[in-house]
Amino acid sequence: MSSLAFLVTELQSLASESRRKHPEIREAAEKSLAILRSSPEQATASLASDSAQSDDLLRPVFMGCATKNAKVVAISLGSLQRLIALKAVPQSVVPLIVSTMNDAMSQGVDIQLRILQTLVSLITNFPSIHEELLGEALLLCFKLQDSRIAVVSSTAAATLRQLVMFIFEKMVNEDRQESNGTLELSEATLPDGSTKALGPCAKDAFSVFEDLCLLANSERPNFLKLDYLHKTFALELIESVLTNYHELFRKATCGAFDVAATPSLSTDSEISLRQTCLSFSFELETEAEVFLMLLIRMISEDSDTSNLDHSGSRPIWTRVLAMEIMRGVCSDAELVRNIWDRYDAQQPGSKVFSSMIVALKRLVTEKPALLGVSAQMMGVGISHTGDSAAPPGSNYGLDVGGVAGMVATAASATVSGVVGIIGSGVGLSVQNSAMKLQCIDQLDKADSPPIPEAYIYLLAVQCIVSLCEGFASFTGPLYTSIMVQRPRAAGEPVIRAPAALDLSTLPQDDHATEHLIIVRSMVENGWPALLAALSFIISTNLSDELFIDVLSSYQALTNVAGMLALSTPRDALFNSLSKFAIPSRVVSSLESYIEPPTPRTSTSFTDNLGLTAPIQAPGLSDRNLACLKVLVSSALFLAGSLGESWYGILEALQNADYVLNVKASQASTNRRMSTPMTPSRSVSAMSSAEQGKVARHPLLMDIDSESVLAAVQRLFDASKNLEDSAFQDFVTALCKLSSEMVGMQSDGSTLTESEDSLSPVPISPHRRRVSGIHLPRTLRQGDFGVERLGSVAMLNFHRLIYRAPEVAWNTTTNHLLWVMGLSSAPQSIRVQAARVLDEILTVVPRNLSSTGDLQAKVQRRVLDVLSKQIVPASSDVPATSTNIELRRMGLETLHQILQASGHTFIVGWGSIFEMLGSICKPAALSRSQSVDSISTLSLQETPRLKPLPLGYVSDRGYTALVKIAFQSLKLVCDSVSVLSPEDLRLCIKTLGQFGRQADTNIALTAAESLLWSVSDSIQAKRKDAEMEPEYSALWMCLLLEVLGLCTDTRHDVRVGAIQTLFRAMQLYGATLTLDTWNDCIWKITFPLLDTISIETRRSAFEPGALLNSGLAAQSPEHAWDESKSLALQSIGSIISDFLVVKIMHLESFSKAWSVFVTHVHDTVSLDRRNLSPPALLCLGKVVKALSGADASLQAKVSEAWECVWMACSDIGSMVLQGERSQLSPSTNTTQHHRAFTQESLVALVDVIRSTRSISLTQTKKEWPLQRLNRLMEILKGMSPYFCVLTYPDSTDYRPDVDGLSPVQVVVLDAIADINLTGSGIPSLILRDLSEFSTLPFLAAFHVPVLSPASPATPIAASSQKQVTYIALSKKVMPLIVELYMRFKDELEIYEDGTLEAIFSAYSIPIKLKYECPAPSKFGKDPPLWKTATTSFLRIVTDSVRRMATFDDRISNTRIEGIWRQIIEVFRGGILADCTAIESFSLEDQEAEENFDLSLISSLEIDLVPHLGDARVPDHLIAQFAKILHKGSQLYESRMDPSRPDSPSTDTANVSDDSRDSHDFEKVDLDVGTTAPGVLVSRERFSFWCFDLLFLICSNVTSDQESSRKRVAALCLPTLLDRCKTTMVSYVADEALRGNMPFPRAREDELLYVLRKVLDLRLWSGTLWAALSESPSKFSDSQPAVDANLSPSALIADVVKRSPVAHIFYFYSVLCEIASIPRKTPSTWVIMNSSAPETNQERRGNVLRHHIGALEEGGDVMEIDARTLARKALQILGKEMGTI
C-alpha cells in the first residue's frame, strides 16, 4: 500500500474519531479527503508547493494535534508523518510542525514515541533544516532522552545518535559539493575567537559537536538550549562521531577537538581516555603516551598488592576497565604499530609496546591455579604420578613446567596441586569468564557490576591473541604480494614456497616497507614474552574456543617470524609447538606400554585422577593433534625459508608418525575394548547435544589420525614447491635425522654422515634433542627419515635429474647407500633404504629427456649408485641373507630401469655388465676341458671385469640373483644395437658367464637366444666398410664364447650353443671374408668336434653301456651323442652351403677336407653307432655340394671325392667285418652296440651314391669294374644289417614284408644308378640281384633282443621281431627278368655262370613252394614261388633258344651247368610238397593246379624240344624223366621195402649209371598187398606229369625230330618202369584182395595206363636205343638187324624196333590182366568217331584228357581193364602178323 493510501486511511480515522467531540476537525478532514480523492497527484503537488490547497490539507492535522485527546493526537501525528514521508509538507510549515510536536510532547508515551519518529522523518526528509530550527528539533530529542520512562529515554538516545550521525553525514556530502564551488558559506566563530567560513551543514555539525563537548565538561552549550546532559551520554555521542568521522576531524581540525581531547582524569571519567588513544594518537602523541603508560601501570597492579593512591585502593573494576581499553588498543594493529614507531623505536623513548607485552604476560601467569592445567595437552593414557620416572633434565612431573618463560608460581606447582587443578572445574572460557555486558558499557551504573574472577585473564588472552593476529593480518598480505604475486619475468616459474622477506631489498621510503620493519622489530623484541605467555596459556584449562584462538596466535606469530626472517623466534615457536603436539611422555610411555590382560570394567578414584598406570594406550589427544596440525601448517607455509630448522620439525613429525602409525595401530584394539581414562572436564565442556549444535572451528576439525597424517604428507608433498637451496636444506635435515635414528638403533652411538663420504661420524648419544623430546632406543620397523626421503625424492625427481647433484642427488643417494652398507643396522631399515633408493633410481631414467649433455651425466650417476648397491665393495663383505636381499633388490631395479629406459642409455653399459657379471659363479670345467682346449683358451682371452663373489648363503639366494640379473641381461640384448664395440665385447663375455650358470634355463637362453641376437646386431654393423674389421673380430670373439658353451656339461645348454653357433655362421657366412672363414674352420668347427668327441668316446667301449634303452636315453653319454649329432648336422649344413663359394677357395682346403672326412670316419668307427647316421649324412650333404664347383675347382673336387671314397671303402670293410663277427658264434655281447643301424647304412649308401654321382659328372664315365666290385661287395655286405641288433622297440626296426626297408631301397637305387654298358657289369649286377632274391629263404632272421637282466641271454623267439627280405625279393625277381631281357644277347651272362646263378636263385622259392614265407601282411601279393615261377619261365623260355644261337661259343661245361639248374628248378616245381593245398577250397585247389600246369606246358613246349641237344648230358635227360616219373605217382609209397618191384621213394637220388637191362621177364605174382595206400594231394597234376612222360616218349610231334628221338630214347625206360609198376602191382594185389574192391585211384590209374599203352606209338627203334648201351647214339638211327641172331633174339631185336615195342615189353602182365577171372575195373568213355587228329591236336587232347569225362562228338561206351589188356594183346598179334 502506498503512503498516499495510508494518508487517506489516517484522515478517515481522524474524521471518524472526531466526528462527535470535534466536528470541525471532522469537516476539515473530510475536506482534505475530498481534495485527495479528486486529484491525489495534484493535491500532493499543491502541498509541496505551498499552494492554496495546502492549508486545507494540513488543517485537520494541526487541529487534531491541538486537542488533548491522546488518540486524536496520535492519529494526527501519524497523518503528519505520512505527509512528511510524501514530502507533501511545504518548507514554510516546518517550524509550525516543530512547534506543534513541542506542544504535544507532554502527552503519553505513545505520543512521545510518535514525536521521535516524526522528528527523524522530518530532519532526514528536509535537509534544509539548519541552525535554530535544527536546534529546536534536537532539543525535543534531548528533552525526551532525559525522560524517566526507560523506553522513551532509550528511544530518544537512539534517535539523537541517528540524528547526530545524519548531521555529520550531511557535512560529508556538503564537502563534496564544496569542491564543485556551488556551496554558500557563512562565517562561524571558533572557540579561540577566530572565524572560518563554513557551509550550512558544516556549521550545524560544528555547533552540535561544540555543544556536546561543552556539555561533557559540564559547561553551558551555545547552540543547544540545554541546561544539562549526562556526561556519559555526551561522551558516547562524541565517541560515535569521532569513531565514524575521524578522517573528517583530521581534515577540518577545530578548537572543539581540543576541548574534547582534554577531559578530566577523575576516576569517573577515565573512559574518555580511550578516545584519544584510539583515533588521534598522531595529533596527541604525548597525551597518548601518558595515557598508555597509565593503562599499563593499572594492568600491572596486582589486586592483592597495596598500591594506594590519594584516594586509597583502586577498585578491581578499574583494572578490568583498563584491560577492556587495552583490548581495544591491541585489536587495532595499526595503532599498535604506531605505538611502537612513536615510542619504542625512538632513542630514547618509553618502551610502551614492550611494557605492554610484559604486563600482559605477567597478568596471564599470575594465578595458574585459577586457570588450571589442560590434561589434554599431556596426551592420553599418561600417568601423572611423580617425576621420578622422568629423564633427568626434563620437568615431566608437570607437562607445562618446562615451557620457556613459565613463571615461578606456575613452575613451582606441586604434583598434588596439579592433580587438584585437573580435578576441579577451574579454567578459562568465554562462556564462564566473560561478562554479558562489558564494564565500559556500564559506566552509567551507580555500582560496579559483578565481575568474574577470570574475566581479566580472559581479556589478557584476548589482547595477546589480537596482537598476534594483528601482526599476521598485516604481514601476510604484503608477504604474499611481494614474494608470491610479484610480477615475474618471461619464463620465470611461479614461486609456491617463497623464502623469507629480505627487507633490505624493498623500497625504504615505501609505507608498507616501513611498517614491515616495524613489525619485524616488534616481533624480534617481543617474542620471548609472547612465547612465554602463549606457551603458558595453551597449557591451561582453556575452552575449545580460546584454545583455538591461542593456537591460531601461535600459528600467526610463527608465520610472521618466518616471513620476516626471524629464525630464532621462529625456531623457538616451532619447538614449543612440537612439544605440545607430541608430548615427550607420550613417546616414552608408548615405548614401555603393555596392554592389560583384560579390559577394566571399573575405575577407582585414584585412577580417575590419573595417579596409577594408564588403562589405555598412550596417545595424542585432540588438542595435541590440533597443535600438530598447526605445526604442519606453519611448516608448510614457511617451507621455503626454514633452512636448518627443518631438522627439529622433521624430528617432531617423526615422533608423531611413530605415535600415530606404529604403536597406536597396535593398541587400537585395546583402546576399543578398555574403558578410557576420563580426563578432567574442561570448563567449556558441553553436553553432546550442545556440541552437536555448535559448529567446531576448522582447527578442531579433521584432527583424527588419518587426517593429521594426511596433512603431514601434504607437507612432504609440498617439497616439490621449494627452491633448490631450500630443498637442499630440507633433504639434508631429513638425512641427518635418519642418520641419527639409524645410528641409535644400530650399536648405541648416534651416527651421522660426513659430507664427503659415507663414513659415519659418531656423536654423543645423550645430547639434548633439538625438539626437546627424548627418543628411546627401541628398535623400530623401518626408518621415518628413509621412508620420507624416498617419497620426497619421488616428488622431486626433476631436481634429481635437472639440478646439480649437490642439490639433492649426492645427499640422498649417499645417505641411502650408507644405511644399506651399515651392517649393524637392523635388516628392515637396510632393506627399506634399498627399496627407496631403487625407486629413485627407477624413476630418474624414465623421466630423463634425451637431449643435451645432461642425459649422459644423469645416466652415469644412476648407474654408479646402483653399482655400489649390487657389486660388493670388497671381498670382505659377508654373503649374508640381508646383503643378498639388497643385491637382489638392486638387480630388480636394474631390470626395471632397462625395461623402461634401456633404449635411451648412451653411457654406463660397462657398469651394467659389471653389475650383471658380479652375480655369476664360476662354472666347473667339463670333463673334456683341458689346458689346451680351445674353449678354455677362448675363455682366457679376456679377463673378467670383476672378481666373482666369494659365496652365497644358499643356492637359493644365488639362483634368485642370477634369475633377476639374467632378466636384465635379456633387456640389454634387446637394445644391443646401441652398444659400442667395447660394450658389445663386455656383453658377449657377460653372456658367456651366464651361459655357465647352474640354472639350465638361463644358460640355455643365454647360449641359444641372447648370443644370437648379439651376433645379429654385430653383423648388421659389419655393413659399414670402415668398421668391418673391428666387428668381424668382435664376431669371432662371440663365436669363441659360444664355442665355450658348446662343451657345457648340460645337454640342453650344449644344444642351444651349438645351434646358435652354426646359425650365426649359416646366416652370415656369405658376408664373411676368407680369413674369417679360415678361422671359423680351424678355431671353431674342428675344435668343437675334437672336444665333443673326447666325451662321446669316453664310454663308447664300456661293456653294456647302452644296453638298457631307458637308461641310455637318460645317460650323459646319450646326451653327448645327441650334442655331437647336432654338431655334425650343423657342420654339414655350413660346409655344404659355403663349400663352393668360400671354403674351397681357402689355401688350407685340402687339409681341412681331409680333417673333416677323418672326423666322419672316426665318428663311424670309434663312436657309438647312433652317431654314425648324422656323421654320414653330414658327409653326404657336403659331397653333394661338390657338384656346384666350377671348372677351376675340378682338381680339388677330384681330390675330395677320392678321399671320400676311400673313407667309404674303409667303412664298408667295417660293415663286412661286422657281418663276419655277427655270424661268428663267439661274438661277444659288447659288440651289439657296434652294429650298424639301418639309418647308418642308408646314410653310407647315400654318401657312396653322391660320390659316384660327382665322379660320373666329372669323368663322364663309369667306375672301373674293380671298384664296382668293391662297391657291390659293400652293398652285399650290408645284407645282414638291414635291421640292426638293437634294443627292444628300437625305432631302427622296419617291417620289410609289404615294403622295402630304407636300406633296401637305397641299395637298389644305388644299383640302378650303375651304368651297365661296361663289360662284366651286367653279370655282376644280375648275380648280386639273384643273391638278393634268395635272402627271404636263406638269410631271414629274428632280431635278437638281449635281456636287460642278463645281456648274454637272448629273449625267446616268440617275442622277437623278424627281418624277412620278402619285399626285397618281390622287387628283385621281376627286376632280374627285366635286366636279363635287356642283356639276353650278351654272351658273358651265359658263359660266366650268371644265368646259372639266376636259375639257382629262382629254384629256392619254387622248391619251397607253400613253405615260402607269406608275401605280404596286409596286401594280396602273389606268393613268392609263383613270382619266381613266372619269372623263371620267362627267362628259361628265352634262354634255351638264345643258347642254341650261340652254338659253340658257350662251353659244354656251362651248357651242362645251365641245364642242370633248369632241370633242378623243374624238379623243385614238380616235386614240391603240396600237402598244404589240402586245406584250400576246391576252387583254390583247382586254381593252384592250373597254375602248375604252366610249368608242365613250358616243359612240353619250350624245353623238351631243346632238351635233346647233343651237348646236354644223357644223365640230365634221364634225371628229367625220373622227375616226371616221381611227379606222376598217385600214391605215396607205403609198401614193404623188400618188395623187389617197388619203385624207389626218391628216384631223383638214383644214380645215373644204375640203369638195369630191361628184358622181357615174367612177372612175379607172389608179392601183393591189401593196403589202400596214401593218395597224393594233387591227383590231376600227377596225371599231367604222366601225360608229359608219355608225350616225350611218343612220336606225336615231328619238329626237331632228332632231338625228340634222343629224349624219347633216354626217357622210355622210365616210362616203361612206371607203367609196369602200375600193372604188376594191380595183378599182385588183385590176387590177394579177391572180391575186395580197389580204391578208385588204383582203378583209374590202371585204366589210364592201359589206355595210354594202347595209344602210345614210339619212334622206330626207340626202345632198341633205350635198351642199348648208348641210347643217344642210337636214338636217331639203329644198326641193321643182324640176321645171324637166334630166332628168339632176332624176334626180340625186331620187336624192339617196332612203334608198339612197348606192348611187347608188357606182354606178360597184359596176359595176367586179360586172364583175371573176376571183374576188372571199368569206366565209361567217349570214343571219338571224327577224323584222325593231327599230332598237335592229339598232344593237346592227351594233356587235357580227363578220365571219366565225356568227349564231344563221340560214342559213349564202357570199357574195363580186361578188355583193354586183350586189345593190347590183339595189337601185339597184329604186329606179329598172327592176326
Side-chain angles (χ1 to χ4, degrees), residues 1459-1498:
W1459 276 104
R1460 180 183 291 109
Q1461 289 299 331
I1462 293 175
I1463 293 172
E1464 185 66 23
V1465 173
F1466 279 104
R1467 174 183 176 276
I1470 293 173
L1471 301 181
D1473 184 7
C1474 298
T1475 55
I1477 200 174
E1478 296 176 358
S1479 61
F1480 291 6
S1481 64
L1482 295 178
E1483 292 80 4
D1484 291 340
Q1485 292 183 24
E1486 182 178 1
E1488 293 295 305
E1489 290 181 351
N1490 290 335
F1491 180 83
D1492 289 339
L1493 180 60
S1494 64
L1495 192 66
I1496 305 301
S1497 299
S1498 178

Side-chain angles (χ1 to χ4, degrees), residues 1100-1104 1107 1227-1234 1346:
F1101 299 100
E1102 296 176 3
L1107 291 179
T1227 302
N1228 193 305
T1229 57
T1230 58
Q1231 294 296 324
H1232 284 298
H1233 72 283
R1234 304 295 303 150
L1346 300 183

